[in-house]
Every structure is written in structure tokens, then in C-alpha cells.
Amino acid sequence: MPLSHILVPIDFSERSTGAVRYAEAIMQRFDSRLTLVHVLPPPHYEFGAMEVGGSVLEELFRNRSEQAQRELDGFLAEELPAGKTTRLLIEGDPATKIVALAHDEQAGLIVMPTHGYGPFRRFILGSVTAKVLHDADCPVWTGVHLEAESVEEIQFRKIVAALDLGQQSERTLMWASRFAQGVGAQLTLVHATPNLEGQAGEYFDPDWRKHVEAQVREQVDALQQRLGTHAPLLVDSGDASTVVCELAQEAGADLLVIGRGSAAGVFGRLRANAYSIIRQSTCPVVSV
């Protein structure tokens, strides 16, 4: 879990401010260095609909670039340690540039908000964040709850890892365990089993929940034994995203860790539900 370098894409909004404060809280605990990046879309993105000539367009874009550089240089300048903070202004498609920069700079974590807010937050996931989640090699820390007035109010006391027992579960548990150890937090595991009751034309043993849960616990125990972890496990049945979020809230999670590349099948259901989990979670989510 290399957290020596954290990348934070910013657009100077309040949600960006919250993301940077979370990144700074992680930075303080893992002695990381921080890169703030603002991606300026190409001129035709911002001014394509304007009826202006080439020279006027160049002047508009140059002025926009100079303004963005000033905003970037001053963004939380008094809060972030100058010696460990790099500020980059680059041009291009935001999601593509963020993913490429994270890869080229070997960032261990990308921290960015979803841009989902208000009464419709359950249905909103910003297109840039969605693309970064899909394409990035490193873990991505996001969520609709990245608000923080100060770094001091950010606490990591309880970490929850959602395991679907797919290919990504080992990496998910390893990352969550090491993060919990690094911040001195309690780790809890959660798993959502499918609800098999009421399927037309099918008969299920009334004790199917016990059988499925026993199977899950056996697999999780084997995984923990292999990785040397000893976290408690919470299991419930139902819609995967809803169950995971409810169990995480029940456990008092300050951070929910999920996998992004899980296998398909009965137990490999988190990949299809990742966006829904991020939107519904009452705490930040890191997908690994």
C-alpha cells in the first residue's frame, strides 16, 4: 500500500477543498507528498460555442490559463506544507490527464469528490470521477461526504472493508488492513449475500441463510488466515450496495474500502454496485 504520493485533482470548489483536507489528513499519518492538479480543458471545450476568431480564442484561453494558475498557486496555500506539496496546471481531457498523471507519477492514491450533492446525490456521480474510477490503476478515494472544516476534525477510528470473495478481495482486505494499522483504527469486514427467497419455481431450504453465511465465513476465515488479519465479519442478505452501506453505517465506519475489479458471479457483485455504494455511503469510500 504505497501512500508516499497522493494525487488530488481540484476545480477550486468547496468539494475540492474537502478532498484536499482528507488528503492532508492521510498525508500527515503516512508522511506522504501531495500533488494538486488542475486540468484545463482545451480551448474548444470552453469556448467552442463562441463565435470568435483564432487570435481572440487564443487570448481568451491564455487569460483563462493565467487565472487558473493564480487560483492554483493560492489554493489552501497557508494550510498545506509547501515543501511537500506540488501544484500542476495541465491542459487536456480531465479524466484522461488525471489517470495518465497518476500512472506516470506512480501515485499511490487519487482523492477526489463525486460532485454528487443535494437531494439527488444518490443518482449523481460526476463523469470525470466515474472515468477515473474505471481507468485508474491505483486506489481512488471519493464520496459525497468529503466535507471537512479542518484537518483536525477528520478521524479514522473505524475502517470497514466490503468483501465479495471475488479476485479483488485479497487486495481489498490487504489495503484496508494496512491502512487501519497505519492510522491505529479498528477494522471490520462486511459481506452481502444474495437474497434467494421468493424465486419463482424454486425451493430453498428454510435454513439457507445459515448455510450461505457459514460458507462465507469459512472463505473469509481462510482469506484472513492467509493474510494474517483477525477482523470481525458482519454478514447480511439483500441488495449488495444497500447491505454494504447499512452494515458500514452500523459499524460506525469512518472509511469504507471496496474492490473495483471483482469477478462476476454470486459472490462477485461489488464491481457492478461500486457506483451505487459510493453514492449511498455515509462515509468516504476508497475503491482498490
Side-chain angles (χ1 to χ4, degrees):
M1 188 190 64
L3 284 177
S4 58
H5 185 196
I6 302 171
L7 177 65
V8 188
I10 61 171
D11 60 6
F12 313 120
S13 66
E14 291 184 8
R15 293 184 293 278
S16 285
T17 299
V20 172
R21 288 192 173 126
Y22 267 90
E24 186 181 3
I26 303 166
M27 176 186 182
Q28 292 176 355
R29 290 163 173 82
F30 290 90
D31 194 28
S32 316
R33 61 187 178 93
L34 185 65
T35 295
L36 305 184
V37 59
H38 178 72
V39 184
L40 200 61
H44 64 272
Y45 274 43
E46 292 192 288
F47 308 109
M50 299 177 62
E51 296 182 1
V52 294
S55 60
V56 176
L57 187 61
E58 290 179 6
E59 179 68 19
L60 286 170
F61 188 70
R62 183 165 56 252
N63 291 340
R64 178 69 187 93
S65 298
E66 293 173 353
Q67 177 187 349
Q69 187 64 63
R70 288 192 296 270
E71 291 185 60
L72 179 60
D73 291 340
F75 190 75
L76 298 179
E78 296 182 359
E79 294 188 28
L80 300 173
K84 303 191 71 173
T85 304
T86 302
R87 298 167 186 268
L88 296 178
L89 178 66
I90 56 180
E91 177 188 338
D93 174 72
T96 301
K97 289 295 183 178
I98 291 166
V99 171
L101 181 63
H103 182 270
D104 294 344
E105 296 291 323
Q106 297 183 323
L109 183 67
I110 299 172
V111 180
M112 60 192 302
T114 63
H115 285 209
Y117 61 97
F120 302 106
R121 71 175 180 82
R122 291 187 61 186
F123 308 101
I124 298 173
L125 188 71
S127 61
V128 173
T129 304
K131 291 178 182 177
V132 171
L133 280 164
H134 185 271
D135 296 338
D137 296 326
C138 67
V140 179
W141 182 304
T142 188
V144 295
H145 296 287
L146 294 185
E147 306 92 347
E149 294 298 327
S150 67
V151 174
E152 289 71 26
E153 75 176 50
I154 298 174
Q155 300 293 327
F156 301 122
R157 294 158 296 195
K158 295 184 179 181
I159 311 300
V160 169
L163 305 179
D164 64 3
L165 302 179
Q167 297 177 21
Q168 200 77 351
S169 288
E170 182 170 316
R171 185 183 180 194
T172 303
L173 176 54
M174 187 180 299
W175 198 98
S177 176
R178 290 181 177 176
F179 187 88
Q181 291 175 9
V183 299
Q186 175 187 338
L187 176 64
T188 300
L189 311 181
V190 300
H191 177 84
T193 61
N195 189 348
L196 303 179
E197 294 178 344
Q199 301 292 325
E202 298 288 345
Y203 169 77
F204 291 98
D205 186 327
D207 293 327
W208 69 268
R209 289 178 186 269
K210 295 180 181 178
H211 296 315
V212 172
E213 182 173 336
Q215 182 184 0
V216 168
R217 291 189 178 278
E218 181 179 344
Q219 293 185 55
V220 172
D221 286 346
L223 177 61
Q224 292 211 79
Q225 186 174 2
R226 188 161 68 249
L227 297 183
T229 61
H230 304 88
L233 172 65
L234 302 178
V235 180
D236 202 352
S237 63
D239 173 72
S241 57
T242 301
V243 169
V244 165
C245 291
E246 288 179 349
L247 290 178
Q249 186 173 12
E250 178 184 323
D254 298 304
L255 176 67
L256 173 58
V257 184
I258 66 174
R260 264 183 292 152
S262 301
V266 173
F267 292 119
R269 300 186 301 148
L270 283 191
R271 182 177 185 180
N273 291 281
Y275 292 169
S276 181
I277 290 171
I278 291 168
R279 290 190 298 263
Q280 293 185 54
S281 176
T282 57
C283 65
V285 178
V286 59
S287 55
V288 301

